[in-house]
Amino acid sequence: MGHRLADASTPARLAAPEEGIGRDELALATRNHGLPLEALRHDITPPGLHYVLTHYDIPYVPDGTPWHLALDGRVHRPLRLDLAGLRTFPPVTTRVTMECAGNGRALLTPRPVSQPWLVEAVGTADWTGVPLRLLLIEAGVDPSAVDVVFTGADHGVERGVEQDYQRALPLAVALGDEPEVLVAYAMNGAPLPPQHGRPLRLVVPGWYGMAQVKWLREITVVDEPFTGFQQAVAYRLRRHAEDEGEPVTRIAPRALLVPPGFPDFMSRARVVRPGPVDLEGRAWSGRAPVTRVEVSVDGGRTWEDAEPTPDDGQRWAWRRWRHRWTATPGEHVLSARATDAGGHSQPLDQPWNRGGFANNLVQRVPVLCTDEDGGRAPA
């Protein structure tokens, strides 16, 4: 009997009732990491704290390795550009909050078995690069064009399908200037780190992370909708396996709280003292600007408005918010909820889907307020 790729690639599945996190999910969790929530205090996330999701291996690209980006397909003038050639185009820097489409997956019941994110799969960076629309204009897009396909250098197998990682954008999005898609070569003023796509990656403000193709090596303009695995099979909102599903695209609104006080090592349970406690966090949406943030200190029974700071023109980046809470002895559950200008808000009960995508259920942070002096344990 022959051996098949499917022998090394398991199908999508849901966890059985009461099934804990398995070794396969732990293996993913050791390769990918989220943002420590205390790092929400940074306006710009340091690269080592920014969330990372890598489908396959991180390509090894030593410094000085020649790298070319091909732009072809339904264009009049195919391009082949090295990094120096890309830098001849006017650079643009945009501050962008990225979030993994599977953020919150591990909180769902039943749990889709995949990267077991809680709520930390997010980060914000200043990305510098060339507007994609300038490259497409230079190449001369044919009137028959429909989609623009992006191919990364990462290669693997998923659900029995061997593939390079590929995603596509509709032509109107690829050519748009609000948001302006970037072919980025720098993060926070420095060359891209390996885990963030060195030497080139796509940055699509307002879209979930699956659109931000890393280790970008090819852009292909096509005259029919792209039906590759990561477009037509993965990253779809499905309630049943046979559903075609809706595509995952723009980021749903979310607010996250910097956990107050100090944590227990194992459980991460938070402890605060009685009295005034300054709560703070971040809020964002890829659909419309965030206009309101609310905070609950009683498990979502009642809500009060927090004070968001101005966005300073950084439309595609998270906004800081603050709220003063007077803590009293006892157990409390803190939550934050964002609403954007389009009227989209976070649910208290999360609609479920098989992939665990776009889960923007409000965060719940249990807090113990105690007036006991815990003392200092020896180091």
Side-chain angles (χ1 to χ4, degrees), residues 284-304:
W284 62 92
S285 174
R287 300 177 180 178
V290 169
T291 55
R292 186 182 189 187
V293 178
E294 301 164 274
V295 172
S296 174
V297 297
D298 56 13
R301 291 192 297 273
T302 62
W303 296 86
E304 296 183 13

Side-chain angles (χ1 to χ4, degrees), residues 257 260 270 272 279 295-303 325 328 330-336 362-369:
L257 177 82
R270 310 301 297 191
V272 300
L279 303 179
V295 172
S296 174
V297 297
D298 56 13
R301 291 192 297 273
T302 62
W303 296 86
W325 171 45
T328 57
E331 296 179 350
H332 307 269
V333 176
L334 311 187
S335 295
V362 296
Q363 178 191 22
R364 294 173 60 86
V365 182
V367 173
L368 173 65
C369 177

Side-chain angles (χ1 to χ4, degrees), residues 184-198:
Y185 46 73
M187 178 185 189
N188 296 349
L192 296 176
Q195 72 273 27
H196 290 292
R198 178 184 289 179

Side-chain angles (χ1 to χ4, degrees), residues 51 53 55 98-106 108 114-115 117-118 121-122 165 167 207-212 234-237 247-252 254 350 353 355-360:
Y51 98 92
L53 188 286
H55 276 248
M98 288 187 187
E99 182 177 9
C100 184
N103 202 15
R105 175 185 290 121
L108 294 177
S114 185
Q115 168 65 29
W117 292 124
L118 297 173
V122 67
Y165 187 86
R167 282 282 304 187
W207 285 54
Y208 280 111
M210 77 282 150
Q212 330 278 340
Y235 296 107
R236 313 282 296 190
L237 300 174
V248 178
T249 56
R250 291 184 175 273
I251 298 172
R254 188 191 293 275
Q350 176 62 48
N353 65 84
F357 298 127
N359 174 11
N360 65 333

Side-chain angles (χ1 to χ4, degrees), residues 87-173:
R87 289 178 181 273
T88 64
F89 290 83
V92 169
T93 298
T94 306
R95 185 166 298 176
V96 176
T97 294
M98 288 187 187
E99 182 177 9
C100 184
N103 202 15
R105 175 185 290 121
L107 301 174
L108 294 177
T109 303
R111 186 183 78 255
V113 175
S114 185
Q115 168 65 29
W117 292 124
L118 297 173
V119 295
E120 299 90 348
V122 67
T124 295
D126 285 342
W127 303 97
T128 300
V130 180
L132 174 63
R133 61 182 179 85
L134 296 186
L135 299 180
L136 293 172
I137 291 170
E138 179 76 10
V141 175
D142 189 89
S144 65
V146 172
D147 277 357
V148 182
V149 182
F150 306 91
T151 302
D154 44 334
H155 183 88
V157 57
E158 198 162 344
R159 302 189 212 171
V161 179
E162 185 177 358
Q163 59 191 280
D164 295 328
Y165 187 86
Q166 290 183 303
R167 282 282 304 187
L169 293 173
L171 182 63
V173 175

Side-chain angles (χ1 to χ4, degrees), residues 217-228:
R217 61 180 177 81
E218 188 173 351
I219 300 172
T220 308
V221 180
V222 297
D223 57 7
E224 56 186 16
F226 177 62
T227 58

